[in-house]
Amino acid sequence: MLVLATLAACPSKATLGRHLAQRVVQIGVNDVFSVPGDFNLNLVGCCNERNAGYARSSGVGACVVTFTVGGLSVLNVIAGVYSENLPMICIVGGPNSNGYGTNRVLRHTIGLPDFSQELCCFQTVTCFQAVVNNLVDAQELIDTAISTALKESKPVYVSVSCNLSAIPHHTFSKEPILFSISPR
């Protein structure tokens, strides 16, 4: 929680990562469950993705996992959260934004040059899916995902390209609208 609160409280650089941290803190997330990995967004860790089931200690839960290998591991947990009508933000450290459309096979995938395999798996167990692979619409996608999780009381999927989280962008310097919907 200390890392997340520190990121959210430090307005010196208006980055995607700071915006995401700020928004998650604003909805009352106290703990973010994460497994360290090279496609993660540098948050506090735990031993495996199944621990994300404990992420919803009060109100809304959040977890951060690596692209595909972590996402597929946490999928069972997210399905359980979905069936219980619990709001959770599942953040995935996605592939580099420059890799989309290159027809390359990446590690952490099932061996196909299509980055949508994981997204397809999450579509049936989340109420909203956002793939953030550019900064222009990142704020809107993140805020829509979080507000949908709160409104529907279901988990959402937010994939953030690993090269974008620390890049400043003018859209993140605006004061975001506060969420007014409480989880059921």
Side-chain angles (χ1 to χ4, degrees), residues 152-166:
E152 300 294 325
S153 197
K154 295 277 190 188
V156 294
Y157 169 89
V158 180
S159 175
V160 177
S161 289
C162 62
N163 61 314
L164 299 181
S165 64

Side-chain angles (χ1 to χ4, degrees), residues 75-88 122-129 152-156:
L75 194 59
N76 189 46
V77 171
I78 299 301
V81 169
Y82 185 90
S83 70
E84 296 293 330
N85 297 316
L86 303 173
M88 180 179 271
F122 275 87
Q123 287 176 330
T124 58
V125 295
T126 56
C127 65
F128 186 83
Q129 308 82 40
E152 300 294 325
S153 197
K154 295 277 190 188
V156 294

Side-chain angles (χ1 to χ4, degrees), residues 41-119:
L41 300 174
N42 301 324
L43 298 177
V44 181
C46 61
C47 65
N48 70 54
E49 292 83 5
R50 291 183 307 267
N51 293 100
Y54 301 103
R56 189 183 171 272
S57 59
S58 62
V60 182
C63 65
V64 177
V65 297
T66 59
F67 178 64
T68 304
V69 69
L72 294 179
S73 183
V74 79
L75 194 59
N76 189 46
V77 171
I78 299 301
V81 169
Y82 185 90
S83 70
E84 296 293 330
N85 297 316
L86 303 173
M88 180 179 271
I89 315 302
C90 181
I91 304 164
V92 174
N96 189 304
S97 63
N98 299 320
Y100 284 87
T102 61
N103 207 30
R104 290 183 17 225
V105 175
L106 297 179
R107 69 186 189 290
H108 293 218
T109 67
I110 60 171
L112 299 174
D114 175 11
F115 296 166
S116 68
Q117 312 126 3
E118 180 183 80
L119 173 65

